[in-house]
PDB file of all heavy atoms in Angstrom:
ATOM      1  N   SER A  38      -1.472   8.304  15.547  1.00 98.00           N
ATOM      2  CA  SER A  38      -2.927   8.225  15.557  1.00 98.00           C
ATOM      3  C   SER A  38      -3.526   9.068  14.431  1.00 98.00           C
ATOM      4  O   SER A  38      -4.448   8.627  13.737  1.00 98.00           O
ATOM      5  CB  SER A  38      -3.462   8.697  16.914  1.00 98.00           C
ATOM      6  OG  SER A  38      -4.872   8.717  16.906  1.00 98.00           O
ATOM      7  N   GLU A  39      -2.992  10.262  14.243  1.00 98.00           N
ATOM      8  CA  GLU A  39      -3.486  11.128  13.156  1.00 98.00           C
ATOM      9  C   GLU A  39      -3.179  10.530  11.781  1.00 98.00           C
ATOM     10  O   GLU A  39      -3.994  10.639  10.854  1.00 98.00           O
ATOM     11  CB  GLU A  39      -2.877  12.522  13.278  1.00 98.00           C
ATOM     12  CG  GLU A  39      -3.426  13.310  14.446  1.00 98.00           C
ATOM     13  CD  GLU A  39      -2.776  14.668  14.602  1.00 98.00           C
ATOM     14  OE1 GLU A  39      -1.528  14.747  14.562  1.00 98.00           O
ATOM     15  OE2 GLU A  39      -3.527  15.657  14.749  1.00 98.00           O
ATOM     16  N   VAL A  40      -2.031   9.890  11.647  1.00 98.00           N
ATOM     17  CA  VAL A  40      -1.697   9.231  10.380  1.00 98.00           C
ATOM     18  C   VAL A  40      -2.696   8.115  10.112  1.00 98.00           C
ATOM     19  O   VAL A  40      -3.239   8.000   9.006  1.00 98.00           O
ATOM     20  CB  VAL A  40      -0.241   8.687  10.388  1.00 98.00           C
ATOM     21  CG1 VAL A  40       0.004   7.756   9.209  1.00 98.00           C
ATOM     22  CG2 VAL A  40       0.758   9.833  10.381  1.00 98.00           C
ATOM     23  N   GLU A  41      -2.967   7.295  11.116  1.00 98.00           N
ATOM     24  CA  GLU A  41      -3.911   6.189  10.936  1.00 98.00           C
ATOM     25  C   GLU A  41      -5.320   6.679  10.599  1.00 98.00           C
ATOM     26  O   GLU A  41      -6.048   6.003   9.883  1.00 98.00           O
ATOM     27  CB  GLU A  41      -3.968   5.313  12.190  1.00 98.00           C
ATOM     28  CG  GLU A  41      -2.810   4.363  12.323  1.00 98.00           C
ATOM     29  CD  GLU A  41      -3.059   3.294  13.382  1.00 98.00           C
ATOM     30  OE1 GLU A  41      -4.133   3.308  14.042  1.00 98.00           O
ATOM     31  OE2 GLU A  41      -2.171   2.438  13.546  1.00 98.00           O
ATOM     32  N   ARG A  42      -5.686   7.839  11.105  1.00 97.00           N
ATOM     33  CA  ARG A  42      -7.025   8.383  10.821  1.00 97.00           C
ATOM     34  C   ARG A  42      -7.050   9.185   9.523  1.00 97.00           C
ATOM     35  O   ARG A  42      -8.084   9.737   9.152  1.00 97.00           O
ATOM     36  CB  ARG A  42      -7.502   9.240  11.990  1.00 97.00           C
ATOM     37  CG  ARG A  42      -7.887   8.385  13.199  1.00 97.00           C
ATOM     38  CD  ARG A  42      -8.363   9.215  14.368  1.00 97.00           C
ATOM     39  NE  ARG A  42      -7.190   9.796  15.041  1.00 97.00           N
ATOM     40  CZ  ARG A  42      -7.114  11.049  15.479  1.00 97.00           C
ATOM     41  NH1 ARG A  42      -8.122  11.876  15.343  1.00 97.00           N
ATOM     42  NH2 ARG A  42      -6.019  11.484  16.061  1.00 97.00           N
ATOM     43  N   GLY A  43      -5.910   9.253   8.824  1.00 95.00           N
ATOM     44  CA  GLY A  43      -5.859   9.975   7.558  1.00 95.00           C
ATOM     45  C   GLY A  43      -5.832  11.474   7.695  1.00 95.00           C
ATOM     46  O   GLY A  43      -6.108  12.199   6.746  1.00 95.00           O
ATOM     47  N   GLN A  44      -5.478  11.966   8.874  1.00 97.00           N
ATOM     48  CA  GLN A  44      -5.450  13.407   9.105  1.00 97.00           C
ATOM     49  C   GLN A  44      -4.084  14.026   8.841  1.00 97.00           C
ATOM     50  O   GLN A  44      -3.977  15.234   8.679  1.00 97.00           O
ATOM     51  CB  GLN A  44      -5.893  13.711  10.535  1.00 97.00           C
ATOM     52  CG  GLN A  44      -7.328  13.323  10.788  1.00 97.00           C
ATOM     53  CD  GLN A  44      -7.748  13.539  12.226  1.00 97.00           C
ATOM     54  OE1 GLN A  44      -6.914  13.584  13.134  1.00 97.00           O
ATOM     55  NE2 GLN A  44      -9.042  13.665  12.445  1.00 97.00           N
ATOM     56  N   LYS A  45      -3.054  13.199   8.849  1.00 96.00           N
ATOM     57  CA  LYS A  45      -1.688  13.678   8.592  1.00 96.00           C
ATOM     58  C   LYS A  45      -1.051  12.838   7.506  1.00 96.00           C
ATOM     59  O   LYS A  45      -1.306  11.644   7.391  1.00 96.00           O
ATOM     60  CB  LYS A  45      -0.812  13.578   9.851  1.00 96.00           C
ATOM     61  CG  LYS A  45      -1.217  14.475  10.980  1.00 96.00           C
ATOM     62  CD  LYS A  45      -0.785  15.888  10.736  1.00 96.00           C
ATOM     63  CE  LYS A  45      -1.112  16.720  11.975  1.00 96.00           C
ATOM     64  NZ  LYS A  45      -0.855  18.109  11.804  1.00 96.00           N
ATOM     65  N   GLU A  46      -0.190  13.478   6.720  1.00 96.00           N
ATOM     66  CA  GLU A  46       0.604  12.779   5.708  1.00 96.00           C
ATOM     67  C   GLU A  46       1.900  12.325   6.356  1.00 96.00           C
ATOM     68  O   GLU A  46       2.627  13.123   6.937  1.00 96.00           O
ATOM     69  CB  GLU A  46       0.948  13.735   4.552  1.00 96.00           C
ATOM     70  CG  GLU A  46      -0.248  14.309   3.855  1.00 96.00           C
ATOM     71  CD  GLU A  46      -0.539  13.657   2.524  1.00 96.00           C
ATOM     72  OE1 GLU A  46       0.195  12.743   2.129  1.00 96.00           O
ATOM     73  OE2 GLU A  46      -1.514  14.069   1.899  1.00 96.00           O
ATOM     74  N   ALA A  47       2.194  11.053   6.266  1.00 95.00           N
ATOM     75  CA  ALA A  47       3.426  10.522   6.842  1.00 95.00           C
ATOM     76  C   ALA A  47       4.561  10.606   5.825  1.00 95.00           C
ATOM     77  O   ALA A  47       4.367  10.327   4.646  1.00 95.00           O
ATOM     78  CB  ALA A  47       3.223   9.077   7.266  1.00 95.00           C
ATOM     79  N   SER A  48       5.739  10.977   6.292  1.00 96.00           N
ATOM     80  CA  SER A  48       6.916  10.997   5.420  1.00 96.00           C
ATOM     81  C   SER A  48       7.347   9.564   5.124  1.00 96.00           C
ATOM     82  O   SER A  48       6.940   8.615   5.810  1.00 96.00           O
ATOM     83  CB  SER A  48       8.066  11.738   6.107  1.00 96.00           C
ATOM     84  OG  SER A  48       8.532  10.991   7.219  1.00 96.00           O
ATOM     85  N   SER A  49       8.201   9.409   4.141  1.00 96.00           N
ATOM     86  CA  SER A  49       8.707   8.078   3.815  1.00 96.00           C
ATOM     87  C   SER A  49       9.499   7.508   4.987  1.00 96.00           C
ATOM     88  O   SER A  49       9.480   6.297   5.229  1.00 96.00           O
ATOM     89  CB  SER A  49       9.556   8.116   2.543  1.00 96.00           C
ATOM     90  OG  SER A  49      10.638   9.007   2.692  1.00 96.00           O
ATOM     91  N   GLU A  50      10.171   8.364   5.748  1.00 97.00           N
ATOM     92  CA  GLU A  50      10.929   7.897   6.912  1.00 97.00           C
ATOM     93  C   GLU A  50       9.996   7.355   7.990  1.00 97.00           C
ATOM     94  O   GLU A  50      10.268   6.318   8.598  1.00 97.00           O
ATOM     95  CB  GLU A  50      11.796   9.028   7.491  1.00 97.00           C
ATOM     96  CG  GLU A  50      12.960   9.427   6.619  1.00 97.00           C
ATOM     97  CD  GLU A  50      12.603  10.467   5.557  1.00 97.00           C
ATOM     98  OE1 GLU A  50      11.408  10.876   5.452  1.00 97.00           O
ATOM     99  OE2 GLU A  50      13.495  10.864   4.816  1.00 97.00           O
ATOM    100  N   ILE A  51       8.892   8.048   8.223  1.00 97.00           N
ATOM    101  CA  ILE A  51       7.916   7.594   9.221  1.00 97.00           C
ATOM    102  C   ILE A  51       7.292   6.280   8.763  1.00 97.00           C
ATOM    103  O   ILE A  51       7.152   5.340   9.553  1.00 97.00           O
ATOM    104  CB  ILE A  51       6.816   8.660   9.451  1.00 97.00           C
ATOM    105  CG1 ILE A  51       7.403   9.938  10.047  1.00 97.00           C
ATOM    106  CG2 ILE A  51       5.681   8.102  10.306  1.00 97.00           C
ATOM    107  CD1 ILE A  51       7.854   9.841  11.472  1.00 97.00           C
ATOM    108  N   LEU A  52       6.914   6.208   7.486  1.00 97.00           N
ATOM    109  CA  LEU A  52       6.318   4.974   6.972  1.00 97.00           C
ATOM    110  C   LEU A  52       7.278   3.805   7.122  1.00 97.00           C
ATOM    111  O   LEU A  52       6.876   2.705   7.515  1.00 97.00           O
ATOM    112  CB  LEU A  52       5.909   5.144   5.509  1.00 97.00           C
ATOM    113  CG  LEU A  52       4.723   6.061   5.239  1.00 97.00           C
ATOM    114  CD1 LEU A  52       4.524   6.237   3.742  1.00 97.00           C
ATOM    115  CD2 LEU A  52       3.468   5.531   5.901  1.00 97.00           C
ATOM    116  N   ALA A  53       8.550   4.022   6.826  1.00 97.00           N
ATOM    117  CA  ALA A  53       9.550   2.954   6.941  1.00 97.00           C
ATOM    118  C   ALA A  53       9.706   2.527   8.400  1.00 97.00           C
ATOM    119  O   ALA A  53       9.806   1.330   8.701  1.00 97.00           O
ATOM    120  CB  ALA A  53      10.884   3.417   6.368  1.00 97.00           C
ATOM    121  N   ALA A  54       9.716   3.480   9.324  1.00 98.00           N
ATOM    122  CA  ALA A  54       9.867   3.154  10.743  1.00 98.00           C
ATOM    123  C   ALA A  54       8.658   2.375  11.258  1.00 98.00           C
ATOM    124  O   ALA A  54       8.804   1.409  12.015  1.00 98.00           O
ATOM    125  CB  ALA A  54      10.064   4.433  11.558  1.00 98.00           C
ATOM    126  N   VAL A  55       7.467   2.761  10.842  1.00 98.00           N
ATOM    127  CA  VAL A  55       6.260   2.065  11.274  1.00 98.00           C
ATOM    128  C   VAL A  55       6.217   0.667  10.666  1.00 98.00           C
ATOM    129  O   VAL A  55       5.882  -0.315  11.348  1.00 98.00           O
ATOM    130  CB  VAL A  55       4.990   2.879  10.921  1.00 98.00           C
ATOM    131  CG1 VAL A  55       3.726   2.072  11.185  1.00 98.00           C
ATOM    132  CG2 VAL A  55       4.969   4.184  11.711  1.00 98.00           C
TER     133      VAL A  55
END
Side-chain angles (χ1 to χ4, degrees):
S38 176
E39 289 177 312
V40 168
E41 282 194 358
R42 287 180 282 137
Q44 296 176 337
K45 294 283 185 185
E46 300 257 0
S48 68
S49 58
E50 290 86 358
I51 296 289
L52 290 174
V55 172

